[in-house]
Amino acid sequence: MFRKTIIMDSSISSQPLHHEHDAEGNSYFAFIVFLCSESIIFLSFFAGYIIYKTTTIDWLPAGVTGLEIKDPLINTVVLISSSFVIYIAEQFLEKHQLWGFRLFLLLTIAMGTYFLVGQAIEWNGLEFGFTSGVFGGMFYLLTGFHGLHVLTGILLQGIMLGRSFFPNNYEQGHFGVIATSLFWHFVDVIWIVLFVLLYLWQ
Amino acid sequence: MTDSQVKTTNIITESYQDLSARNWKRYFSFSTDHKVIGIQYLVTSFIFFLIGGIFAMVIRGELITPEADLVDRTFYNGMFTMHGTIMLFLWTFPSLVGLANYLVPIMIGAKDMAFPRLNAAAFWMVPIVGTLMMASFFVPSGSAQSGWWSYPPVSLQNPTGQLITGQFLWILAVAISGVSSIMGAVNIVTTVVKMRAPGMTFFRMPIFVWAVFSAQIIQLFGLPALTAGAVMLLFDLTVGTSFFDPSQGGNPILFQHFFWFYSHPAVYVIILPIFGIFSEIFPVYSRKPLFGYKIVAISSLLIAAVSGLVWVHHMYASGTPGWMRMLFMLSTMCVSVPTGIKVFAWVATIWGGKLRLNTAMLFAMGALIMFIFAGVTGIMLSAVPVDIHVNNTYFVVGHFHYVLYGTVTMGMYAAIYHWFPKMTGRMYYESWGQVHFWLAFIGTNLNFLPMHPLGLQGMLRRVASYDPEYTFWNVLASLGAFLLGMSTLPFIVNMVSSWIQGPIAPSNPWRAIGLEWLIASPPPVENFEDTPIIVSEPYSYGKSDPLVSNLEGVLGHHE
Ligand code: HEM
Ligand SMILES: [Cu+2]
């Protein structure tokens, strides 16, 4: 037996009793919060880079004159364009045109992979390493940490692509795709800053 | 008031015992219930509090005589490093997150956190962090020895040449606890923003929720900076980069910036929820509404915002240029404004109230008194000339222990006593609680007050031996420390025995106002049968307006 107590207030009795929380909206919000938080890590690295660059006397390691810009520039263009490609993929999904979605998602994956391979080739050709002074450390730390994010993005896109072949449970919500695409834009924006800091500001 | 309108203060007498956690095993198994996770956090962190406390006893045992005669110096360095680290990363942070876990969903009328499984994952990282920390005592190099701030170049020394050193494990542990905290912060912030019951506007949230919310925002924006610094330190330590190694062109001061950019605001991550606890407890036991509710609420966010702009006050003595010192001295003093507002509001709440001095209230008042004292020494420290004088002395240790023991730990005790009946469904024994309080209050002051004169006379911190002229105050401090160590015994006895066989608690033993007091003790699995609808502000003591509507669902279905 429980004693029953109702506190009535006429002003609210018309309000709906059932107040369902929308799990997808929560995830979306949480993901944005998470990305804001993560951008602070990058910002810290950027701040570190700027401080080192402006205060270190022997900035470049001996024998190194600077970074080659041409190939990274092509890489950059590919990566930035892929942000538009994934956007198109999302549009196809909106219209429930799964094949268009898959095609453009695959294109995004290809472009991301192109970027990663390009980066690997660049790393391979450089005449300084991770331990070549503060410059070498910062260069590999920044590009490596960003590259890890690109890789994560590609994996997420792969998962989304795979999931699109199981449309039954796929039609329910697109949160995964929205998040993946958001993440990809984030990775791109970070790269633009990185490109300016590392390659243009030499 | 019609018949069906009943004061919120005496609603439920029976409780949903059958629906709630009766079996203690539930608390030690994997669960996604925010209440179980909350208690798991509290119990785990308390165990680490005891371990950290034992280390403190070793430190004070060493310092009771001027010679370094109790333990060897390497071990001593490990002791104060691990003491500080454990107390911060394994006691204060997780215990407060545990409390938030338990209370926030209930206080906002939600059934659980936004992401229950993420919540459990974040918790289970805490024992992992603790195990890593403890494991460092068993590697050849011994535990980390460079203090909890682990400044390079000291933290980069590795005489053993091995990869797995105490310092290495230490950084790993801190990094994992950071990941866990970020997961927790995302979850709590999302819960507060998205899961509030209908009618629970921001300005109807209890101050505790405001405080936790502000604190977790700091986590989100501060912790990543520490992570960045830790990653760089780890690379310096293991693969030979030279970010912070001055002999290789690195910049050790940069580490200090990364470190304090987080670790200063971290102080507010700890203290804001304690302020929240004060704001919950004072109105109940003074039977008055919280003075200046809105201003107190907003000041939490203000403190969070300003706290990101003051970190350099820890680096006055690190070669910081004069203009920068001035700037940060001013910004630091700015923090005292919203903080002062809060103190004023609490004093005004207590003032002229009908005080009930039971254990929770005693702890809260004791903590407030010690916080006021810490505030005074804090403002002294924010002044550059004073700080340069007492930098790295026991004055600093005294100051932050008034905060961390006097305010945070005592505030935590207040919270535990206050919500114990809710969490366990049992009442604690008041007399044991009073004994605990007086031992702790006297012990804290006897322990940490002497550190101030010691610091002013120039006794450095982090030393195992000292000039005999400092003996008198050190003996006093050590006696206080042992008293403080003893004071935890009545607490443990009380908690364990009351949880097992204490008197059954009613749902609202303190006649408090708040959603958590409207549901059974301990609360049923999903807190509320039906979502409550909130129709008024919290803390309406002495007023007649109701807090919630449509409690039918909460209470009715079982009739
Ligand atoms: C009986 C209780 C305690 C005693 C006797 C005690 C004693 C001490 C002493 C003597 C030091 C300085 C060590 C040195 O610099 O050589 C210290 C450092 C520290 N303590 Fe405590 N403490 C106690 C409780 C706490 C609590 C509850 C917290 C946090 C909630 C805490 C946090 C710290 C921190 C963060 C440091 C700094 C460590 C460092 O700078 O490396 N302590 N403690
Ligand atoms: Cu500070």
Side-chain angles (χ1 to χ4, degrees):
Chain A
M1 255 282 285
F2 297 99
R3 216 161 85 213
K4 180 168 151 185
T5 309
I6 315 162
I7 302 167
M8 284 298 292
D9 180 313
S10 56
S11 66
I12 47 88
S13 55
S14 57
Q15 269 182 270
L17 253 180
H18 287 277
H19 176 77
E20 285 310 323
H21 285 283
D22 128 53
E24 216 161 84
N26 289 355
S27 307
Y28 191 60
F29 178 85
F31 196 70
I32 291 178
V33 170
F34 170 73
L35 286 186
C36 289
S37 179
E38 234 213 349
S39 59
I40 306 281
I41 298 195
F42 279 107
L43 281 181
S44 310
F45 286 147
F46 294 159
Y49 183 86
I50 293 169
I51 290 173
Y52 282 132
K53 164 99 172 127
T54 49
T55 59
T56 311
I57 302 154
D58 295 320
W59 172 236
L60 294 178
V64 177
T65 45
L67 293 164
E68 176 64 52
I69 298 192
K70 200 178 110 267
D71 290 343
L73 186 63
I74 299 174
N75 247 346
T76 307
V77 173
V78 173
L79 191 68
I80 306 300
S81 329
S82 72
S83 247
F84 295 97
V85 178
I86 200 170
Y87 176 73
I88 299 173
E90 260 187 286
Q91 297 304 308
F92 273 109
L93 190 66
E94 286 283 300
K95 294 187 212 120
H96 299 277
Q97 293 172 340
L98 277 183
W99 279 104
F101 168 67
R102 287 173 194 143
L103 189 71
F104 277 85
L105 198 58
L106 198 65
L107 191 58
T108 319
I109 295 179
M111 293 165 96
T113 313
Y114 177 90
F115 175 87
L116 271 191
V117 172
Q119 177 121 68
I121 294 173
E122 187 195 353
W123 274 19
N124 205 25
L126 291 175
E127 66 258 47
F128 59 90
F130 197 20
T131 54
S132 315
V134 187
F135 173 73
M138 265 344 261
F139 177 83
Y140 283 96
L141 185 70
L142 281 169
T143 53
F145 193 55
H146 176 265
L148 217 59
H149 281 74
V150 177
L151 188 65
T152 312
I154 294 175
L155 290 178
L156 288 176
Q157 288 157 5
I159 295 172
M160 292 306 128
L161 188 64
R163 265 191 14 183
S164 76
F165 289 98
F166 300 94
N168 284 347
N169 53 34
Y170 199 58
E171 293 285 312
Q172 287 165 8
H174 299 156
F175 167 69
V177 174
I178 296 175
T180 305
S181 150
L182 203 64
F183 186 74
W184 197 246
H185 300 319
F186 170 77
V187 168
D188 279 1
V189 172
I190 296 287
W191 177 257
I192 295 176
V193 183
L194 258 181
F195 185 73
V196 172
L197 280 182
L198 289 177
Y199 295 93
L200 298 187
W201 181 39
Q202 289 203 21
Chain B
M1 223 193 233
T2 64
D3 282 351
S4 57
Q5 264 186 338
V6 176
K7 273 257 177 69
T8 48
T9 44
N10 53 8
I11 296 187
I12 315 165
T13 40
E14 283 96 337
S15 57
Y16 287 82
Q17 304 275 331
D18 49 328
L19 288 177
S20 56
R22 287 282 91 196
N23 186 343
W24 61 269
K25 283 195 189 118
R26 184 151 174 255
Y27 290 106
F28 296 93
S29 58
F30 184 84
S31 167
T32 55
D33 180 349
H34 73 97
K35 298 181 288 299
V36 175
I37 295 175
I39 291 184
Q40 286 175 332
Y41 265 114
L42 284 169
V43 172
T44 314
S45 58
F46 190 76
I47 292 172
F48 286 112
F49 173 68
L50 293 180
I51 297 175
I54 291 171
F55 294 175
M57 297 304 123
V58 176
I59 300 174
R60 285 313 322 177
E62 174 70 90
L63 294 177
I64 203 165
T65 57
E67 301 84 33
D69 44 9
L70 183 66
V71 291
D72 75 64
R73 283 168 199 270
T74 331
F75 189 72
Y76 179 85
N77 293 349
M79 278 291 116
F80 71 69
T81 301
M82 297 306 272
H83 163 74
T85 313
I86 288 174
M87 286 301 191
L88 289 173
F89 293 107
L90 290 164
W91 159 240
T92 48
F93 287 117
S95 63
L96 288 164
V97 168
L99 198 66
N101 241 298
Y102 197 98
L103 293 173
V104 166
I106 305 183
M107 284 180 161
I108 62 172
K111 291 187 171 173
D112 205 326
M113 297 282 259
F115 307 104
R117 265 176 300 163
L118 184 72
N119 202 16
F123 163 72
W124 284 101
M125 287 180 159
V126 174
I128 298 178
V129 172
T131 312
L132 276 178
M133 289 263 175
M134 292 305 141
S136 70
F137 282 102
F138 302 101
V139 298
S141 66
S143 69
Q145 285 147 27
S146 45
W148 85 284
W149 53 13
S150 63
Y151 281 0
V154 178
S155 56
L156 293 177
Q157 285 165 0
N158 182 3
T160 62
Q162 264 139 339
L163 174 65
I164 310 290
T165 57
Q167 195 68 38
F168 175 83
L169 290 173
W170 186 92
I171 300 178
L172 218 58
V174 170
I176 298 176
S177 95
V179 172
S180 156
S181 298
I182 290 284
M183 282 159 57
V186 169
N187 205 346
I188 293 175
V189 168
T190 307
T191 305
V192 172
V193 173
K194 305 285 272 187
M195 304 282 285
R196 279 169 292 125
M200 176 61 81
T201 59
F202 266 87
F203 282 113
R204 283 180 187 167
M205 293 194 317
I207 297 291
F208 182 73
V209 179
W210 270 96
V212 167
F213 180 64
S214 315
Q216 296 301 322
I217 290 178
I218 299 180
Q219 290 285 56
L220 287 171
F221 290 100
L223 251 180
L226 179 71
T227 311
V231 167
M232 291 162 80
L233 192 66
L234 198 64
F235 280 130
D236 275 7
L237 197 65
T238 52
V239 302
T241 53
S242 48
F243 296 118
F244 304 131
D245 185 352
S247 65
Q248 310 279 329
N251 182 353
I253 301 293
L254 187 63
F255 179 83
Q256 296 192 15
H257 281 288
F258 283 143
F259 181 83
W260 286 115
F261 183 75
Y262 170 63
S263 295
H264 176 77
V267 174
Y268 298 98
V269 176
I270 300 168
I271 203 90
L272 278 173
I274 298 294
F275 290 172
I277 291 167
F278 287 168
S279 308
E280 299 304 317
I281 288 183
F282 289 139
V284 180
Y285 298 103
S286 329
R287 306 233 60 80
K288 279 175 65 192
L290 182 69
F291 185 88
Y293 165 77
K294 268 195 186 169
I295 295 179
V296 175
I298 292 176
S299 68
S300 304
L301 275 181
L302 272 181
I303 292 177
V306 184
S307 73
L309 307 171
V310 302
W311 76 95
V312 175
H313 65 210
H314 295 275
M315 298 165 60
Y316 288 150
S318 306
T320 304
W323 61 268
M324 219 189 207
R325 285 174 175 176
M326 275 302 142
L327 215 64
F328 281 94
M329 175 164 122
L330 289 177
S331 62
T332 302
M333 290 177 173
C334 286
V335 185
S336 53
V337 177
T339 315
I341 292 177
K342 281 186 185 250
V343 173
F344 178 77
W346 297 319
V347 175
T349 305
I350 303 173
W351 203 265
K354 272 205 218 115
L355 299 195
R356 266 188 292 170
L357 290 178
N358 59 4
T359 311
M361 182 64 166
L362 279 179
F363 268 103
M365 284 176 64
L368 178 58
I369 291 169
M370 288 191 269
F371 178 67
I372 292 171
F373 184 79
V376 172
T377 55
I379 292 185
M380 286 169 72
L381 283 172
S382 74
V384 176
V386 181
D387 185 74
I388 300 285
H389 177 63
V390 296
N391 176 59
N392 237 352
T393 68
Y394 261 86
F395 191 84
V396 180
V397 181
H399 158 73
F400 71 67
H401 279 87
Y402 264 82
V403 179
L404 288 172
Y405 208 110
T407 316
V408 175
T409 304
M410 300 277 269
M412 224 17 238
Y413 279 135
I416 293 172
Y417 283 109
H418 183 61
W419 281 290
F420 182 84
K422 181 52 61 187
M423 294 178 174
T424 62
R426 304 273 184 171
M427 299 303 287
Y428 61 83
Y429 299 108
E430 187 61 43
S431 47
W432 282 103
Q434 305 263 340
V435 171
H436 175 209
F437 171 75
W438 287 110
L439 285 182
F441 188 76
I442 297 169
T444 308
N445 287 298
L446 191 60
N447 188 352
F448 302 118
L449 203 60
M451 293 184 179
H452 296 87
L454 277 176
L456 291 174
Q457 289 162 22
M459 177 170 162
L460 292 179
R461 63 193 288 207
R462 298 181 170 145
V463 289
S465 57
Y466 52 84
D467 193 309
E469 67 170 305
Y470 302 132
T471 312
F472 173 71
W473 293 114
N474 270 305
V475 170
L476 274 193
S478 292
L479 292 180
F482 301 141
L483 189 63
L484 210 45
M486 264 168 47
S487 77
T488 43
L489 295 179
F491 174 72
I492 298 171
V493 170
N494 195 358
M495 292 295 115
V496 173
S497 64
S498 2
W499 200 343
I500 296 173
Q501 42 138 35
I504 299 287
S507 70
N508 190 359
W510 317 128
R511 298 197 297 114
I513 294 178
L515 279 183
E516 77 270 32
W517 302 107
L518 295 177
I519 55 176
S521 306
V525 176
E526 291 212 306
N527 305 339
F528 306 96
E529 288 268 300
D530 250 324
T531 312
I533 298 179
I534 288 62
V535 297
S536 77
E537 289 177 8
Y539 312 112
S540 39
Y541 294 93
K543 302 178 189 166
S544 64
D545 41 353
L547 179 74
V548 284
S549 147
N550 281 312
L551 268 176
E552 182 162 25
V554 182
L555 308 163
H557 286 200
H558 282 258
E559 210 164 5

